[in-house]
Amino acid sequence: DQQKLTKIYLKSGMADTEIKIPEGAGGEIRTESALSSFDFEGFEKIEPGLYRTSNFKEASQKVFIDIESGFAAVQVKRYN
């Protein structure tokens, strides 16, 4: 929670992954996947493959997550 801008690149296959980001940070997730399941807590679907938190525009801290996966389960959770 010390950085103004964080970029996370996740490339996985046949794996379970959990990412946690601060609740006050604005988050954006972009996905490219085949047969994967996603659970993006606190994110809204903007369009296929693009999700954002409701506070994304006004948040001073931003987290960008790019996910490329196949046969994976990916969770993104927020914490305070």
PDB file of all heavy atoms in Angstrom, residues 11-47:
ATOM      1  N   LYS A  11       0.708 -14.648 -15.576  1.00  0.00           N
ATOM      2  CA  LYS A  11       0.570 -15.608 -16.673  1.00  0.00           C
ATOM      3  C   LYS A  11       0.597 -16.983 -16.025  1.00  0.00           C
ATOM      4  O   LYS A  11       1.594 -17.345 -15.397  1.00  0.00           O
ATOM      5  CB  LYS A  11       1.707 -15.456 -17.674  1.00  0.00           C
ATOM      6  CG  LYS A  11       1.546 -16.321 -18.896  1.00  0.00           C
ATOM      7  CD  LYS A  11       2.603 -15.997 -19.936  1.00  0.00           C
ATOM      8  CE  LYS A  11       2.381 -16.823 -21.172  1.00  0.00           C
ATOM      9  NZ  LYS A  11       3.337 -16.514 -22.223  1.00  0.00           N
ATOM     10  N   SER A  12      -0.502 -17.731 -16.142  1.00  0.00           N
ATOM     11  CA  SER A  12      -0.558 -19.016 -15.453  1.00  0.00           C
ATOM     12  C   SER A  12      -1.386 -20.020 -16.233  1.00  0.00           C
ATOM     13  O   SER A  12      -2.184 -19.667 -17.084  1.00  0.00           O
ATOM     14  CB  SER A  12      -1.141 -18.845 -14.050  1.00  0.00           C
ATOM     15  OG  SER A  12      -2.503 -18.495 -14.133  1.00  0.00           O
ATOM     16  N   GLY A  13      -1.184 -21.258 -15.899  1.00  0.00           N
ATOM     17  CA  GLY A  13      -1.955 -22.351 -16.454  1.00  0.00           C
ATOM     18  C   GLY A  13      -2.099 -23.419 -15.393  1.00  0.00           C
ATOM     19  O   GLY A  13      -1.162 -23.698 -14.647  1.00  0.00           O
ATOM     20  N   MET A  14      -3.288 -23.948 -15.249  1.00  0.00           N
ATOM     21  CA  MET A  14      -3.572 -25.002 -14.271  1.00  0.00           C
ATOM     22  C   MET A  14      -3.077 -24.630 -12.871  1.00  0.00           C
ATOM     23  O   MET A  14      -2.351 -25.383 -12.230  1.00  0.00           O
ATOM     24  CB  MET A  14      -2.985 -26.323 -14.725  1.00  0.00           C
ATOM     25  CG  MET A  14      -3.598 -26.811 -16.019  1.00  0.00           C
ATOM     26  SD  MET A  14      -3.140 -28.477 -16.445  1.00  0.00           S
ATOM     27  CE  MET A  14      -4.084 -29.378 -15.259  1.00  0.00           C
ATOM     28  N   ALA A  15      -3.448 -23.437 -12.436  1.00  0.00           N
ATOM     29  CA  ALA A  15      -3.016 -22.975 -11.114  1.00  0.00           C
ATOM     30  C   ALA A  15      -4.124 -22.174 -10.454  1.00  0.00           C
ATOM     31  O   ALA A  15      -4.953 -21.579 -11.122  1.00  0.00           O
ATOM     32  CB  ALA A  15      -1.773 -22.117 -11.246  1.00  0.00           C
ATOM     33  N   ASP A  16      -4.120 -22.171  -9.130  1.00  0.00           N
ATOM     34  CA  ASP A  16      -5.001 -21.307  -8.353  1.00  0.00           C
ATOM     35  C   ASP A  16      -4.167 -20.140  -7.854  1.00  0.00           C
ATOM     36  O   ASP A  16      -3.101 -20.341  -7.278  1.00  0.00           O
ATOM     37  CB  ASP A  16      -5.604 -22.049  -7.163  1.00  0.00           C
ATOM     38  CG  ASP A  16      -6.556 -23.155  -7.587  1.00  0.00           C
ATOM     39  OD1 ASP A  16      -7.034 -23.135  -8.741  1.00  0.00           O
ATOM     40  OD2 ASP A  16      -6.833 -24.035  -6.761  1.00  0.00           O
ATOM     41  N   THR A  17      -4.656 -18.925  -8.080  1.00  0.00           N
ATOM     42  CA  THR A  17      -3.905 -17.738  -7.691  1.00  0.00           C
ATOM     43  C   THR A  17      -4.825 -16.778  -6.952  1.00  0.00           C
ATOM     44  O   THR A  17      -5.964 -16.574  -7.350  1.00  0.00           O
ATOM     45  CB  THR A  17      -3.328 -17.023  -8.929  1.00  0.00           C
ATOM     46  OG1 THR A  17      -2.531 -17.938  -9.660  1.00  0.00           O
ATOM     47  CG2 THR A  17      -2.480 -15.836  -8.534  1.00  0.00           C
ATOM     48  N   GLU A  18      -4.294 -16.177  -5.887  1.00  0.00           N
ATOM     49  CA  GLU A  18      -5.029 -15.161  -5.140  1.00  0.00           C
ATOM     50  C   GLU A  18      -4.155 -13.910  -5.040  1.00  0.00           C
ATOM     51  O   GLU A  18      -2.999 -13.992  -4.637  1.00  0.00           O
ATOM     52  CB  GLU A  18      -5.370 -15.667  -3.742  1.00  0.00           C
ATOM     53  CG  GLU A  18      -6.137 -14.655  -2.914  1.00  0.00           C
ATOM     54  CD  GLU A  18      -6.483 -15.190  -1.543  1.00  0.00           C
ATOM     55  OE1 GLU A  18      -7.427 -15.981  -1.443  1.00  0.00           O
ATOM     56  OE2 GLU A  18      -5.771 -14.810  -0.587  1.00  0.00           O
ATOM     57  N   ILE A  19      -4.726 -12.779  -5.431  1.00  0.00           N
ATOM     58  CA  ILE A  19      -4.050 -11.494  -5.366  1.00  0.00           C
ATOM     59  C   ILE A  19      -4.858 -10.612  -4.425  1.00  0.00           C
ATOM     60  O   ILE A  19      -6.083 -10.554  -4.518  1.00  0.00           O
ATOM     61  CB  ILE A  19      -3.962 -10.834  -6.760  1.00  0.00           C
ATOM     62  CG1 ILE A  19      -3.153 -11.717  -7.714  1.00  0.00           C
ATOM     63  CG2 ILE A  19      -3.358  -9.439  -6.661  1.00  0.00           C
ATOM     64  CD1 ILE A  19      -3.213 -11.277  -9.160  1.00  0.00           C
ATOM     65  N   LYS A  20      -4.174  -9.905  -3.514  1.00  0.00           N
ATOM     66  CA  LYS A  20      -4.843  -8.991  -2.590  1.00  0.00           C
ATOM     67  C   LYS A  20      -4.344  -7.579  -2.838  1.00  0.00           C
ATOM     68  O   LYS A  20      -3.139  -7.364  -2.941  1.00  0.00           O
ATOM     69  CB  LYS A  20      -4.572  -9.401  -1.145  1.00  0.00           C
ATOM     70  CG  LYS A  20      -5.177 -10.737  -0.790  1.00  0.00           C
ATOM     71  CD  LYS A  20      -4.912 -11.073   0.662  1.00  0.00           C
ATOM     72  CE  LYS A  20      -5.531 -12.415   1.009  1.00  0.00           C
ATOM     73  NZ  LYS A  20      -5.312 -12.778   2.403  1.00  0.00           N
ATOM     74  N   ILE A  21      -5.309  -6.637  -2.932  1.00  0.00           N
ATOM     75  CA  ILE A  21      -4.952  -5.236  -3.112  1.00  0.00           C
ATOM     76  C   ILE A  21      -5.651  -4.402  -2.038  1.00  0.00           C
ATOM     77  O   ILE A  21      -6.701  -4.800  -1.536  1.00  0.00           O
ATOM     78  CB  ILE A  21      -5.290  -4.720  -4.527  1.00  0.00           C
ATOM     79  CG1 ILE A  21      -6.795  -4.675  -4.760  1.00  0.00           C
ATOM     80  CG2 ILE A  21      -4.606  -5.560  -5.600  1.00  0.00           C
ATOM     81  CD1 ILE A  21      -7.191  -3.925  -6.013  1.00  0.00           C
ATOM     82  N   PRO A  22      -5.076  -3.246  -1.681  1.00  0.00           N
ATOM     83  CA  PRO A  22      -5.694  -2.405  -0.658  1.00  0.00           C
ATOM     84  C   PRO A  22      -7.085  -1.932  -1.083  1.00  0.00           C
ATOM     85  O   PRO A  22      -7.314  -1.619  -2.258  1.00  0.00           O
ATOM     86  CB  PRO A  22      -4.738  -1.217  -0.547  1.00  0.00           C
ATOM     87  CG  PRO A  22      -3.450  -1.690  -1.110  1.00  0.00           C
ATOM     88  CD  PRO A  22      -3.805  -2.700  -2.149  1.00  0.00           C
ATOM     89  N   GLU A  23      -8.000  -1.881  -0.134  1.00  0.00           N
ATOM     90  CA  GLU A  23      -9.376  -1.478  -0.415  1.00  0.00           C
ATOM     91  C   GLU A  23      -9.461  -0.047  -0.938  1.00  0.00           C
ATOM     92  O   GLU A  23     -10.306   0.272  -1.772  1.00  0.00           O
ATOM     93  CB  GLU A  23     -10.216  -1.617   0.849  1.00  0.00           C
ATOM     94  CG  GLU A  23     -11.695  -1.533   0.604  1.00  0.00           C
ATOM     95  CD  GLU A  23     -12.466  -1.902   1.849  1.00  0.00           C
ATOM     96  OE1 GLU A  23     -12.728  -3.096   2.035  1.00  0.00           O
ATOM     97  OE2 GLU A  23     -12.797  -0.985   2.628  1.00  0.00           O
ATOM     98  N   GLY A  24      -8.591   0.835  -0.494  1.00  0.00           N
ATOM     99  CA  GLY A  24      -8.622   2.225  -0.931  1.00  0.00           C
ATOM    100  C   GLY A  24      -8.039   2.465  -2.306  1.00  0.00           C
ATOM    101  O   GLY A  24      -8.230   3.526  -2.896  1.00  0.00           O
ATOM    102  N   ALA A  25      -7.325   1.495  -2.841  1.00  0.00           N
ATOM    103  CA  ALA A  25      -6.712   1.640  -4.164  1.00  0.00           C
ATOM    104  C   ALA A  25      -7.748   1.415  -5.256  1.00  0.00           C
ATOM    105  O   ALA A  25      -8.650   0.599  -5.115  1.00  0.00           O
ATOM    106  CB  ALA A  25      -5.569   0.648  -4.337  1.00  0.00           C
ATOM    107  N   GLY A  26      -7.599   2.148  -6.336  1.00  0.00           N
ATOM    108  CA  GLY A  26      -8.414   1.891  -7.519  1.00  0.00           C
ATOM    109  C   GLY A  26      -7.785   0.736  -8.276  1.00  0.00           C
ATOM    110  O   GLY A  26      -6.564   0.676  -8.425  1.00  0.00           O
ATOM    111  N   GLY A  27      -8.597  -0.196  -8.732  1.00  0.00           N
ATOM    112  CA  GLY A  27      -8.054  -1.363  -9.414  1.00  0.00           C
ATOM    113  C   GLY A  27      -8.637  -1.555 -10.798  1.00  0.00           C
ATOM    114  O   GLY A  27      -9.811  -1.260 -11.040  1.00  0.00           O
ATOM    115  N   GLU A  28      -7.795  -2.015 -11.711  1.00  0.00           N
ATOM    116  CA  GLU A  28      -8.233  -2.365 -13.058  1.00  0.00           C
ATOM    117  C   GLU A  28      -7.662  -3.727 -13.404  1.00  0.00           C
ATOM    118  O   GLU A  28      -6.467  -3.970 -13.204  1.00  0.00           O
ATOM    119  CB  GLU A  28      -7.768  -1.335 -14.085  1.00  0.00           C
ATOM    120  CG  GLU A  28      -8.188  -1.700 -15.504  1.00  0.00           C
ATOM    121  CD  GLU A  28      -7.755  -0.680 -16.525  1.00  0.00           C
ATOM    122  OE1 GLU A  28      -8.475   0.320 -16.698  1.00  0.00           O
ATOM    123  OE2 GLU A  28      -6.680  -0.888 -17.130  1.00  0.00           O
ATOM    124  N   ILE A  29      -8.515  -4.613 -13.912  1.00  0.00           N
ATOM    125  CA  ILE A  29      -8.093  -5.955 -14.318  1.00  0.00           C
ATOM    126  C   ILE A  29      -8.412  -6.146 -15.790  1.00  0.00           C
ATOM    127  O   ILE A  29      -9.527  -5.873 -16.230  1.00  0.00           O
ATOM    128  CB  ILE A  29      -8.819  -7.041 -13.498  1.00  0.00           C
ATOM    129  CG1 ILE A  29      -8.544  -6.881 -12.009  1.00  0.00           C
ATOM    130  CG2 ILE A  29      -8.415  -8.434 -13.987  1.00  0.00           C
ATOM    131  CD1 ILE A  29      -9.391  -7.789 -11.130  1.00  0.00           C
ATOM    132  N   ARG A  30      -7.422  -6.621 -16.528  1.00  0.00           N
ATOM    133  CA  ARG A  30      -7.623  -7.020 -17.933  1.00  0.00           C
ATOM    134  C   ARG A  30      -7.309  -8.507 -18.018  1.00  0.00           C
ATOM    135  O   ARG A  30      -6.310  -8.958 -17.478  1.00  0.00           O
ATOM    136  CB  ARG A  30      -6.717  -6.231 -18.874  1.00  0.00           C
ATOM    137  CG  ARG A  30      -7.078  -4.759 -18.911  1.00  0.00           C
ATOM    138  CD  ARG A  30      -6.284  -4.008 -19.973  1.00  0.00           C
ATOM    139  NE  ARG A  30      -6.663  -2.615 -19.986  1.00  0.00           N
ATOM    140  CZ  ARG A  30      -7.635  -2.104 -20.745  1.00  0.00           C
ATOM    141  NH1 ARG A  30      -8.311  -2.886 -21.558  1.00  0.00           N
ATOM    142  NH2 ARG A  30      -7.924  -0.821 -20.699  1.00  0.00           N
ATOM    143  N   THR A  31      -8.184  -9.251 -18.685  1.00  0.00           N
ATOM    144  CA  THR A  31      -8.001 -10.700 -18.755  1.00  0.00           C
ATOM    145  C   THR A  31      -8.006 -11.216 -20.189  1.00  0.00           C
ATOM    146  O   THR A  31      -8.715 -10.695 -21.046  1.00  0.00           O
ATOM    147  CB  THR A  31      -9.114 -11.440 -17.992  1.00  0.00           C
ATOM    148  OG1 THR A  31     -10.367 -11.193 -18.623  1.00  0.00           O
ATOM    149  CG2 THR A  31      -9.178 -11.008 -16.557  1.00  0.00           C
ATOM    150  N   GLU A  32      -7.199 -12.230 -20.404  1.00  0.00           N
ATOM    151  CA  GLU A  32      -7.225 -13.063 -21.604  1.00  0.00           C
ATOM    152  C   GLU A  32      -7.125 -14.481 -21.083  1.00  0.00           C
ATOM    153  O   GLU A  32      -6.145 -14.837 -20.433  1.00  0.00           O
ATOM    154  CB  GLU A  32      -6.045 -12.769 -22.522  1.00  0.00           C
ATOM    155  CG  GLU A  32      -6.109 -11.436 -23.218  1.00  0.00           C
ATOM    156  CD  GLU A  32      -4.947 -11.258 -24.175  1.00  0.00           C
ATOM    157  OE1 GLU A  32      -4.528 -12.252 -24.803  1.00  0.00           O
ATOM    158  OE2 GLU A  32      -4.467 -10.130 -24.271  1.00  0.00           O
ATOM    159  N   SER A  33      -8.146 -15.274 -21.322  1.00  0.00           N
ATOM    160  CA  SER A  33      -8.114 -16.595 -20.710  1.00  0.00           C
ATOM    161  C   SER A  33      -8.873 -17.621 -21.535  1.00  0.00           C
ATOM    162  O   SER A  33      -9.706 -17.283 -22.359  1.00  0.00           O
ATOM    163  CB  SER A  33      -8.732 -16.537 -19.314  1.00  0.00           C
ATOM    164  OG  SER A  33     -10.099 -16.197 -19.427  1.00  0.00           O
ATOM    165  N   ALA A  34      -8.552 -18.866 -21.237  1.00  0.00           N
ATOM    166  CA  ALA A  34      -9.253 -20.001 -21.817  1.00  0.00           C
ATOM    167  C   ALA A  34      -9.618 -20.944 -20.674  1.00  0.00           C
ATOM    168  O   ALA A  34      -8.750 -21.369 -19.918  1.00  0.00           O
ATOM    169  CB  ALA A  34      -8.367 -20.717 -22.826  1.00  0.00           C
ATOM    170  N   LEU A  35     -10.891 -21.197 -20.507  1.00  0.00           N
ATOM    171  CA  LEU A  35     -11.384 -22.149 -19.514  1.00  0.00           C
ATOM    172  C   LEU A  35     -10.895 -21.848 -18.099  1.00  0.00           C
ATOM    173  O   LEU A  35     -10.485 -22.729 -17.369  1.00  0.00           O
ATOM    174  CB  LEU A  35     -11.012 -23.572 -19.923  1.00  0.00           C
ATOM    175  CG  LEU A  35     -11.530 -24.020 -21.281  1.00  0.00           C
ATOM    176  CD1 LEU A  35     -10.953 -25.366 -21.646  1.00  0.00           C
ATOM    177  CD2 LEU A  35     -13.040 -24.063 -21.308  1.00  0.00           C
ATOM    178  N   SER A  36     -10.928 -20.579 -17.732  1.00  0.00           N
ATOM    179  CA  SER A  36     -10.516 -20.171 -16.388  1.00  0.00           C
ATOM    180  C   SER A  36     -11.721 -19.633 -15.633  1.00  0.00           C
ATOM    181  O   SER A  36     -12.690 -19.185 -16.227  1.00  0.00           O
ATOM    182  CB  SER A  36      -9.453 -19.080 -16.466  1.00  0.00           C
ATOM    183  OG  SER A  36      -8.276 -19.588 -17.042  1.00  0.00           O
ATOM    184  N   SER A  37     -11.637 -19.669 -14.309  1.00  0.00           N
ATOM    185  CA  SER A  37     -12.688 -19.072 -13.492  1.00  0.00           C
ATOM    186  C   SER A  37     -12.106 -17.880 -12.740  1.00  0.00           C
ATOM    187  O   SER A  37     -10.946 -17.900 -12.326  1.00  0.00           O
ATOM    188  CB  SER A  37     -13.272 -20.095 -12.514  1.00  0.00           C
ATOM    189  OG  SER A  37     -12.327 -20.446 -11.541  1.00  0.00           O
ATOM    190  N   PHE A  38     -12.927 -16.844 -12.594  1.00  0.00           N
ATOM    191  CA  PHE A  38     -12.479 -15.622 -11.952  1.00  0.00           C
ATOM    192  C   PHE A  38     -13.424 -15.236 -10.834  1.00  0.00           C
ATOM    193  O   PHE A  38     -14.629 -15.407 -10.935  1.00  0.00           O
ATOM    194  CB  PHE A  38     -12.419 -14.466 -12.959  1.00  0.00           C
ATOM    195  CG  PHE A  38     -11.472 -14.701 -14.092  1.00  0.00           C
ATOM    196  CD1 PHE A  38     -11.938 -14.872 -15.375  1.00  0.00           C
ATOM    197  CD2 PHE A  38     -10.109 -14.747 -13.875  1.00  0.00           C
ATOM    198  CE1 PHE A  38     -11.069 -15.080 -16.432  1.00  0.00           C
ATOM    199  CE2 PHE A  38      -9.225 -14.956 -14.915  1.00  0.00           C
ATOM    200  CZ  PHE A  38      -9.707 -15.124 -16.196  1.00  0.00           C
ATOM    201  N   ASP A  39     -12.862 -14.672  -9.770  1.00  0.00           N
ATOM    202  CA  ASP A  39     -13.627 -14.096  -8.675  1.00  0.00           C
ATOM    203  C   ASP A  39     -12.941 -12.775  -8.334  1.00  0.00           C
ATOM    204  O   ASP A  39     -11.897 -12.763  -7.693  1.00  0.00           O
ATOM    205  CB  ASP A  39     -13.634 -15.036  -7.464  1.00  0.00           C
ATOM    206  CG  ASP A  39     -14.403 -14.467  -6.288  1.00  0.00           C
ATOM    207  OD1 ASP A  39     -15.133 -13.458  -6.465  1.00  0.00           O
ATOM    208  OD2 ASP A  39     -14.275 -15.011  -5.184  1.00  0.00           O
ATOM    209  N   PHE A  40     -13.524 -11.681  -8.816  1.00  0.00           N
ATOM    210  CA  PHE A  40     -12.939 -10.365  -8.637  1.00  0.00           C
ATOM    211  C   PHE A  40     -13.792  -9.576  -7.650  1.00  0.00           C
ATOM    212  O   PHE A  40     -14.693  -8.836  -8.039  1.00  0.00           O
ATOM    213  CB  PHE A  40     -12.823  -9.630  -9.967  1.00  0.00           C
ATOM    214  CG  PHE A  40     -11.987 -10.329 -11.007  1.00  0.00           C
ATOM    215  CD1 PHE A  40     -12.295 -10.220 -12.351  1.00  0.00           C
ATOM    216  CD2 PHE A  40     -10.887 -11.084 -10.654  1.00  0.00           C
ATOM    217  CE1 PHE A  40     -11.520 -10.833 -13.322  1.00  0.00           C
ATOM    218  CE2 PHE A  40     -10.100 -11.713 -11.610  1.00  0.00           C
ATOM    219  CZ  PHE A  40     -10.425 -11.583 -12.954  1.00  0.00           C
ATOM    220  N   GLU A  41     -13.511  -9.730  -6.378  1.00  0.00           N
ATOM    221  CA  GLU A  41     -14.270  -9.111  -5.296  1.00  0.00           C
ATOM    222  C   GLU A  41     -14.153  -7.588  -5.359  1.00  0.00           C
ATOM    223  O   GLU A  41     -13.054  -7.042  -5.335  1.00  0.00           O
ATOM    224  CB  GLU A  41     -13.715  -9.625  -3.975  1.00  0.00           C
ATOM    225  CG  GLU A  41     -14.392  -9.125  -2.744  1.00  0.00           C
ATOM    226  CD  GLU A  41     -13.721  -9.697  -1.504  1.00  0.00           C
ATOM    227  OE1 GLU A  41     -13.766 -10.936  -1.324  1.00  0.00           O
ATOM    228  OE2 GLU A  41     -13.136  -8.917  -0.745  1.00  0.00           O
ATOM    229  N   GLY A  42     -15.297  -6.896  -5.460  1.00  0.00           N
ATOM    230  CA  GLY A  42     -15.296  -5.440  -5.475  1.00  0.00           C
ATOM    231  C   GLY A  42     -15.025  -4.813  -6.832  1.00  0.00           C
ATOM    232  O   GLY A  42     -14.846  -3.604  -6.922  1.00  0.00           O
ATOM    233  N   PHE A  43     -15.000  -5.609  -7.890  1.00  0.00           N
ATOM    234  CA  PHE A  43     -14.764  -5.110  -9.246  1.00  0.00           C
ATOM    235  C   PHE A  43     -16.045  -5.222 -10.070  1.00  0.00           C
ATOM    236  O   PHE A  43     -16.815  -6.160  -9.904  1.00  0.00           O
ATOM    237  CB  PHE A  43     -13.665  -5.917  -9.947  1.00  0.00           C
ATOM    238  CG  PHE A  43     -12.281  -5.619  -9.446  1.00  0.00           C
ATOM    239  CD1 PHE A  43     -11.835  -6.138  -8.241  1.00  0.00           C
ATOM    240  CD2 PHE A  43     -11.417  -4.825 -10.180  1.00  0.00           C
ATOM    241  CE1 PHE A  43     -10.561  -5.876  -7.771  1.00  0.00           C
ATOM    242  CE2 PHE A  43     -10.137  -4.557  -9.725  1.00  0.00           C
ATOM    243  CZ  PHE A  43      -9.708  -5.081  -8.518  1.00  0.00           C
ATOM    244  N   GLU A  44     -16.241  -4.259 -10.959  1.00  0.00           N
ATOM    245  CA  GLU A  44     -17.390  -4.260 -11.862  1.00  0.00           C
ATOM    246  C   GLU A  44     -16.914  -4.571 -13.276  1.00  0.00           C
ATOM    247  O   GLU A  44     -15.864  -4.077 -13.702  1.00  0.00           O
ATOM    248  CB  GLU A  44     -18.068  -2.894 -11.853  1.00  0.00           C
ATOM    249  CG  GLU A  44     -18.565  -2.463 -10.491  1.00  0.00           C
ATOM    250  CD  GLU A  44     -18.990  -1.002 -10.463  1.00  0.00           C
ATOM    251  OE1 GLU A  44     -19.088  -0.359 -11.527  1.00  0.00           O
ATOM    252  OE2 GLU A  44     -19.217  -0.495  -9.357  1.00  0.00           O
ATOM    253  N   LYS A  45     -17.707  -5.343 -14.003  1.00  0.00           N
ATOM    254  CA  LYS A  45     -17.370  -5.652 -15.390  1.00  0.00           C
ATOM    255  C   LYS A  45     -17.703  -4.439 -16.253  1.00  0.00           C
ATOM    256  O   LYS A  45     -18.838  -3.975 -16.276  1.00  0.00           O
ATOM    257  CB  LYS A  45     -18.142  -6.876 -15.867  1.00  0.00           C
ATOM    258  CG  LYS A  45     -17.753  -7.334 -17.244  1.00  0.00           C
ATOM    259  CD  LYS A  45     -18.461  -8.628 -17.598  1.00  0.00           C
ATOM    260  CE  LYS A  45     -17.982  -9.155 -18.926  1.00  0.00           C
ATOM    261  NZ  LYS A  45     -18.572 -10.471 -19.217  1.00  0.00           N
ATOM    262  N   ILE A  46     -16.715  -3.910 -16.949  1.00  0.00           N
ATOM    263  CA  ILE A  46     -16.893  -2.762 -17.839  1.00  0.00           C
ATOM    264  C   ILE A  46     -17.234  -3.249 -19.239  1.00  0.00           C
ATOM    265  O   ILE A  46     -18.129  -2.720 -19.895  1.00  0.00           O
ATOM    266  CB  ILE A  46     -15.611  -1.897 -17.877  1.00  0.00           C
ATOM    267  CG1 ILE A  46     -15.187  -1.466 -16.468  1.00  0.00           C
ATOM    268  CG2 ILE A  46     -15.776  -0.703 -18.802  1.00  0.00           C
ATOM    269  CD1 ILE A  46     -16.206  -0.660 -15.709  1.00  0.00           C
ATOM    270  N   GLU A  47     -16.512  -4.256 -19.676  1.00  0.00           N
ATOM    271  CA  GLU A  47     -16.717  -4.909 -20.972  1.00  0.00           C
ATOM    272  C   GLU A  47     -16.029  -6.263 -20.883  1.00  0.00           C
ATOM    273  O   GLU A  47     -15.324  -6.523 -19.906  1.00  0.00           O
ATOM    274  CB  GLU A  47     -16.129  -4.062 -22.109  1.00  0.00           C
ATOM    275  CG  GLU A  47     -14.640  -3.835 -22.005  1.00  0.00           C
ATOM    276  CD  GLU A  47     -14.099  -2.888 -23.062  1.00  0.00           C
ATOM    277  OE1 GLU A  47     -14.631  -1.778 -23.212  1.00  0.00           O
ATOM    278  OE2 GLU A  47     -13.134  -3.292 -23.732  1.00  0.00           O
TER     279      GLU A  47
END
